[in-house]
């Protein structure tokens, strides 16, 4: 029996993500939690003829804890797109004031109710909300770094799409052949395009101006959508696709599909010191950064290992430069998220 819980299930990301999860044959139960309209979305999805049993969980009032507890009980995978999205003129960091406490409180419930679940954090700013989640779980004594994932898959999806357009390759064939490391905001996002020799040979033909434009589009793709939506939010449909793609990898690994390193790894923003060889990567190549997005290999719903971009991938001097810029931005967000929890009761 595999139970998946979506927190923020009635939102712009939550609804299409829940639809995709309802179609996954490995899901036996899909619990949809939101402070509004969770029951409506659950009723709607429950009419689809796929195996997952869909349940809605919506608190009757602010004091009602039963809804979140029932949504999380026995959950194997908790996916969190709860919180506010950006409007034009805002950075992801501007969302911290509202989203930090939403994540803190939801994760406290996860830690108490289903501490063994894999947790996927979508809510922004991811660079800080993942450290918040880790600190809450540490306080509760249930932190498993192998099961806490910041979802940065949309950056990979964008990189595959944009590079595919430039080098005339179907984006699908680029999955796992480029890697987007670092964090999830502006210049903390670092696309690496020399991971695979075939792609690297084709990529070497793009002009320096095209490369610069490619990096900028991957780093600021989110802004492109926020601007186009003009006040109606940020990426929801591409994010639902990306979030599902990552969730599917986790579910496959729970079902026993991904048990060896030949499977294409997905990248995720993770707590390095808690992973085998993570401390070494952090100290040797990342100036001690504790959270960083790396390609992870999953097994049984958790991280088995990761690919060290500095060991296994052909990282160029220019890409190393991008990493050092990324580390500056990440430092501040990690400290902000960590201190937020350390400073609260
Ligand atoms: P949205 O406003 O459409 O939906 C958010 C949902 O969260 C709403 O239904 C709201 O009721 C719910 N919610 C608010 N507080 C809650 C709580 N305490 N418990 C449960 N549910 C709660 O927003 P959206 O467009 O779906 O975006 C959600 C978040 O995802 C934003 O923070 C956005 O910045 C982020 N995002 C991240 C990525 C990424 O790549 N990681 C991509 C796109 C968006
Ligand atoms: C994205 O990359 O699209 C998301 O992080 C949403 C945003 O605020 O840009």
């Amino acid at each position: 029996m595999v139970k998946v819980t979506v927190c923020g299930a009635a939102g712009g990301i939550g609804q299409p993500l829940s639809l995709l999860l309802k179609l996954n044959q490995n899901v036996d139960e899909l619990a949809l939690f939101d402070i509004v309209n969770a029951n409506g979305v659950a009723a709607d999805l429950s009419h689809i003829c796929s195996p997952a049993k869909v349940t809605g969980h919506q608190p009757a009032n602010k004091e009602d804890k039963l809804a979140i507890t029932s949504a999380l009980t026995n959950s194997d995978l908790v996916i969190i797109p709860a919180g506010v999205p950006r409007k034009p003129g805002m950075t992801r960091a501007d969302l911290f004031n509202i989203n930090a406490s939403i994540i803190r409180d939801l994760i406290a419930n996860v830690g108490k109710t289903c501490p063994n679940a894999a947790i996927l954090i979508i809510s922004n700013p991811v660079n800080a909300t993942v450290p918040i989640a880790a600190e809450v779980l540490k306080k509760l004594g249930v932190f498993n770094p192998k099961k806490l994932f910041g979802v940065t898959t949309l950056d990979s999806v964008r990189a595959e799409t944009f590079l595919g357009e430039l080098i005339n390759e179907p984006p699908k064939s680029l999955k796992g052949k480029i890697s987007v490391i670092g964090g999830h905001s502006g210049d903390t996002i670092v696309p690496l395009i020399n991971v695979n020799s075939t792609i690297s040979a084709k990529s070497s033909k793009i002009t320096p101006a095209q490369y610069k434009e490619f990096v900028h589009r991957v780093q600021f793709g989110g802004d492109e959508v926020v601007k186009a939506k003009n006040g109606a939010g940020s990426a929801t449909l591409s994010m639902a696709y990306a979030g599902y793609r990552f969730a599917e990898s986790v579910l496959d690994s729970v079902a026993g599909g991904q048990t060896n390193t030949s499977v294409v790894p997905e990248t995720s923003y993770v707590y390095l010191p808690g992973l085998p060889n993570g401390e070494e990567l952090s100290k040797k190549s990342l100036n001690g950064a504790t959270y960083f997005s790396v390609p992870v290999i999953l097994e049984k719903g958790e991280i088995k290992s990761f690919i060290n971009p500095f060991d296994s991938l052909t990282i160029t001097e220019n890409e190393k430069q991008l990493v050092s810029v990324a580390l500056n931005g990440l430092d501040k967000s990690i400290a902000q998220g960590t201190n937020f929890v350390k400073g609260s009761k």
Side-chain angles (χ1 to χ4, degrees):
M1 287 292 288
V2 173
K3 176 172 173 179
V4 180
T5 305
V6 181
C7 297
I13 297 166
Q15 291 203 35
L17 175 61
S18 301
L19 168 63
L20 294 169
L21 289 162
K22 169 69 175 128
L23 303 180
N24 186 300
Q25 303 292 315
N26 288 324
V27 179
D28 298 290
E29 186 180 346
L30 179 60
L32 306 183
F33 176 79
D34 202 300
I35 50 172
V36 295
N37 199 25
N39 294 335
V41 176
D44 191 354
L45 289 181
S46 72
H47 292 193
I48 295 174
C49 51
S50 63
K53 177 179 171 243
V54 186
T55 51
H57 307 262
Q58 193 175 317
N61 53 52
K62 278 195 172 167
E63 280 67 50
D64 179 3
K65 296 275 173 258
L66 281 177
I68 185 69
T69 306
S70 63
L72 293 172
T73 300
N74 295 326
S75 195
D76 301 290
L77 170 60
V78 180
I79 312 179
I80 310 187
V84 291
R86 285 199 282 165
K87 287 194 172 10
M90 291 172 84
T91 65
R92 291 180 187 80
D94 294 331
L95 303 172
F96 186 88
N97 285 345
I98 300 179
N99 290 351
S101 53
I102 294 176
I103 291 301
R104 180 196 58 200
D105 298 348
L106 283 171
I107 293 293
N109 282 296
V110 174
K112 285 173 198 155
T113 312
C114 53
N116 294 323
I119 307 169
L120 274 53
I121 309 264
I122 293 175
S123 315
N124 271 316
V126 167
N127 293 354
T129 50
V130 175
I132 289 175
E135 289 304 319
V136 172
L137 295 167
K138 279 185 202 170
K139 268 192 174 177
L140 292 170
V142 293
F143 179 42
N144 180 352
K146 293 180 180 167
K147 287 192 156 190
L148 177 65
F149 304 93
V151 181
T152 56
T153 322
L154 183 52
D155 303 320
S156 302
V157 167
R158 285 182 177 135
E160 289 159 22
T161 305
F162 303 153
L163 189 66
E165 281 164 12
L166 274 176
I167 63 172
N168 213 10
E169 275 283 311
K172 213 171 171 199
S173 73
L174 295 181
K175 189 177 169 197
K177 296 197 183 123
I178 47 181
S179 212
V180 184
I181 62 171
H184 177 68
S185 78
D187 59 16
T188 70
I189 300 170
V190 180
L192 308 177
I193 60 172
N194 296 295
V195 178
N196 174 278
S197 54
T198 316
I199 301 308
S200 160
K202 287 198 168 193
S203 302
S204 66
K205 299 206 169 72
I206 64 177
T207 66
Q210 282 175 317
Y211 173 70
K212 211 171 154 201
E213 169 63 17
F214 161 75
V215 171
H216 185 270
R217 249 193 120 187
V218 174
Q219 292 185 327
F220 295 91
D223 298 62
E224 212 177 279
V225 181
V226 169
K227 196 170 164 219
K229 290 199 173 178
N230 195 21
S234 55
T236 53
L237 302 172
S238 51
M239 182 58 230
Y241 166 77
Y244 178 72
R245 182 166 121 173
F246 193 78
E248 192 181 34
S249 296
V250 177
L251 289 167
D252 280 354
S253 79
V254 170
Q258 283 182 229
T259 50
N260 62 61
T261 46
S262 63
V263 173
V264 178
E266 285 285 3
T267 303
S268 178
Y269 184 67
V270 293
Y271 179 69
L272 287 175
L275 303 180
N277 305 321
E279 187 122 36
E280 193 191 323
L281 166 63
S282 163
K283 286 192 176 142
K284 209 168 137 195
S285 312
L286 301 174
N287 284 342
T290 42
Y291 294 84
F292 204 76
S293 217
V294 284
V296 294
I297 314 288
L298 301 166
E299 189 176 53
K300 298 194 173 86
E302 62 177 40
I303 298 170
K304 181 184 171 201
S305 58
F306 66 83
I307 298 177
N308 181 333
F310 296 86
D311 275 358
S312 335
L313 311 177
T314 328
I315 194 164
T316 64
E317 280 312 309
N318 182 62
E319 288 166 345
K320 282 187 186 156
Q321 199 51 43
L322 292 175
V323 168
S324 79
V325 174
L327 289 174
N328 282 332
L330 280 177
D331 263 6
K332 285 185 215 112
S333 305
I334 294 167
Q336 189 186 26
T338 307
N339 294 337
F340 175 75
V341 180
K342 287 197 167 149
S344 45
K345 286 186 194 137

